[in-house]
Amino acid sequence: MPKNPSPKKSAAVDKDIQIVVAGAGGFIGGHLCRYFKDKGFTRIRAVDKKPLSNWYQRTPGVESLCLDLSEEKNCRRAVEGATEIYQLAADMGGMGFIERFRIECLRSVLINTHMIESAYKAGCDRYFYSSSACVYNTDLQKDPKVTALKESDAYPAMSERGYGWEKLISEMFCQEYWAERGMKTFIARFHNAYGPWGTWDGGREKAPAALCRKIIQAIDDKSLAIQIWGDGTRTRSFMYIDDCVKGIDMIAHTDALIATPINLGTSELVTVNQLVSIIEKIAGVKVKREYDLTAPQGVHGRNSDNTFIRKMLGWEPKTPLKDGLAETYAWIKEQFYLRKAGQRTITD
Ligand code: NAD
């Protein structure tokens, strides 16, 4: 793997190559399929274990396969003839999910071991893996006034139990498939992504979607009160989905980043209370905040150090939180009232 990678031009890509997006029935995978289709790619295969009727987005002209990728034979089928593979399938969710269901999170290692081996056997040219900021050493995240996490802060390792450790070992698979077998792998460590067409209810949603939904609910039932997990002082950064898919594309086509984990997130740090205030402004209300100190909260503070991505790509996710949240709030409101009218929403 490159020791001191330097920025290089993105590789040019033929629009007729076979692209495979795993986890395409979910939030980021659904957007990624649409993104590639809009860019003119003609052969996109979307794969997810959910029944097709439960996929968050279906892009016309994209081949859609319903396969459980924790089984090797399904992985082999999924990647047949693939030139580029984007591996986003995982059993995951927000803090409420990853703190309660560590075994499910760890079992994603089955998907990742079978997918990368199948990709290698299929002769895939580029393999992208969606890692997470949860790989970072939790000892460095005990203070809400965080020092932003840089890529080298994953080691010595003390990742988030369950979910984070699985991501870290799967990153290592990517690094070794390059080192030992010469397959080009790319690893992005996503920091919280949010946006329309994401999980907004049901237990797997993340803070931005959950807080939008709670405020919409509080307006609707006229209580004007919401419950916040924790005391509101925990800090995070949140990346808008358009930046996320653009970043995935750029990272996967930058050869200087082969087998080199890189942060993909914004460095606009906010407390949970500030996040609520932004959503209040969008909604045009003030809500009463009740704090649930027994709820899952995750590490105290986490931010993305973007020095490396700026150096490598001359770019970083930039959508201001208030702009991305305005889009997200409007979309969740639509979903909320669809459900209220007895219609199906993406999380039903
Ligand atoms: P998501 O839950 O919306 O999508 C993941 C998809 O994977 C789901 O549709 C699920 O059905 C599918 N899946 C799970 N197990 C599968 C299996 N065995 N076979 C086939 N499909 C399976 O999640 P997302 O937010 O789109 O995240 C995509 C990737 O990015 C995941 O790997 C996640 O860990 C990573 N990530 C996301 C965030 C974020 O903020 N959303 C942050 C860090 C990392």
Side-chain angles (χ1 to χ4, degrees), residues 38-85:
D38 289 347
K39 276 194 93 175
F41 285 89
T42 58
R43 296 171 63 215
I44 305 165
R45 182 181 302 143
V47 188
D48 203 287
K49 76 169 175 188
K50 291 192 288 205
L52 291 177
S53 56
N54 290 354
W55 289 28
Y56 289 178
Q57 294 192 71
R58 296 275 308 278
T59 303
V62 169
E63 177 190 6
S64 303
L65 299 182
C66 176
L67 293 170
D68 182 344
L69 298 172
S70 61
E71 291 185 30
E72 191 186 0
K73 67 173 187 327
N74 292 338
C75 293
R76 285 203 304 269
R77 166 68 189 97
V79 305
E80 269 168 21
T83 305
E84 294 189 359
I85 298 171

Side-chain angles (χ1 to χ4, degrees), residues 23 25-29 48-50 56 67-70 88-92 111 130-132 163 167 190-193 199 206:
F27 171 44
I28 302 172
D48 203 287
K49 76 169 175 188
K50 291 192 288 205
Y56 289 178
L67 293 170
D68 182 344
L69 298 172
S70 61
L88 294 117
D91 222 344
M92 66 88 67
I111 307 175
S130 53
S131 185
S132 165
Y163 180 73
K167 290 287 186 195
F190 298 166
H191 291 246
N192 301 301
T199 311
K206 296 192 163 207

